Amino acid sequence: MQESRKLEDYLVQRPKPKGIDVLCGLKHFAIITYAVPADRFKGIFPDRFRLDVVEIDGQDMGLISVVPFIDVDFTSAVFPFPKFTMGQTNYRIYIIDTETGERCVWFLGTTLDSWTLMVPRYLWNLPWHAGRISFDCSLNESTGLYEKYRMETSSSWAEASVELIQSESDELDFPGFPDVESALVYLTHPLAGFYYRRDNKLGTYRVWHKELEVKPAKLKSANFRLLSDLGIVKELEQSAPYSVLIEPINEFTIYLPPTVIG
């Protein structure tokens, strides 16, 4: 069983941006999470990290999330700079850094729909990949809930499609956690990410955001080819997520450049 956590213990002051740090809004922000047997993650990340397992029905499960959104007003957090808009999808596994004890995420990689991909991919060697990403979303202004949420990605690395729906009757339910708040801290508040760079070195970067005001949703259909290709979440399993969360828009600060470890 995961221990109880309070969000107030994880909220930190926003580190002052400097240099090339970035500020961006994340629109149509969704977290589609799957719980699968822990042994499916063997060999994916270095021994420095361990899977942040959740016990469900007596079995140790690892959680992996697909996180699609549109970067809006993507710009410098410090200087006057042009603003960009682009679709993005992150694939992340929930882990613990054994050197620091911090709960964080391991990025399998990212698809980005923008010519600016050349900066993270080639300058910083991030595991970011090209994709054509489209969103077709309709938000009910009176309820703040999505009447329609569709995302499609055409990509040689991670072709994807997902359709979500929200209703007033949707509830937050997180097996393996003592309460809803503990689960939301786990799923929505990791501030550090690690990954293998394209040159196989270990890399990391940090983000900051305030409390995410996510609401539950239901999945109508999903096909995340990367997850089935890697054998992490099989195609038939993708129709039964552990949880689905959506927030229409939020704001992140991203601290750059990423760091190379070792």
Side-chain angles (χ1 to χ4, degrees), residues 63-137:
L63 301 190
I64 181 169
S65 293
V66 182
V67 186
F69 53 87
I70 300 175
D71 287 302
V72 293
D73 295 336
F74 185 95
T75 190
S76 169
V78 181
F79 305 108
F81 199 76
K83 294 182 178 181
F84 297 94
T85 297
M86 49 200 162
Q88 183 170 335
T89 303
N90 295 335
Y91 295 82
R92 66 191 204 184
I93 300 163
Y94 297 86
I95 59 171
I96 296 172
D97 182 353
T98 61
E99 290 192 5
T100 65
E102 183 178 14
R103 287 183 153 86
C104 43
V105 291
W106 179 266
F107 285 107
L108 289 173
T110 291
T111 47
L112 188 71
D113 188 355
S114 173
W115 64 268
T116 61
L117 172 71
M118 65 181 68
V119 175
R121 181 173 172 84
Y122 296 108
L123 182 61
W124 298 328
N125 265 316
L126 297 187
W128 286 28
H129 307 265
R132 299 297 297 175
I133 303 174
S134 63
F135 283 82
D136 181 11
C137 299

Side-chain angles (χ1 to χ4, degrees), residues 7-17 189 191 206-210 253 255:
L7 184 63
E8 62 187 25
D9 297 330
Y10 292 84
L11 294 174
V12 296
Q13 282 289 111
R14 179 183 184 233
K16 185 177 180 179
H189 214 73
L191 299 180
R206 300 191 70 87
V207 302
W208 180 91
H209 57 79
K210 63 180 183 179
T253 305
Y255 297 92

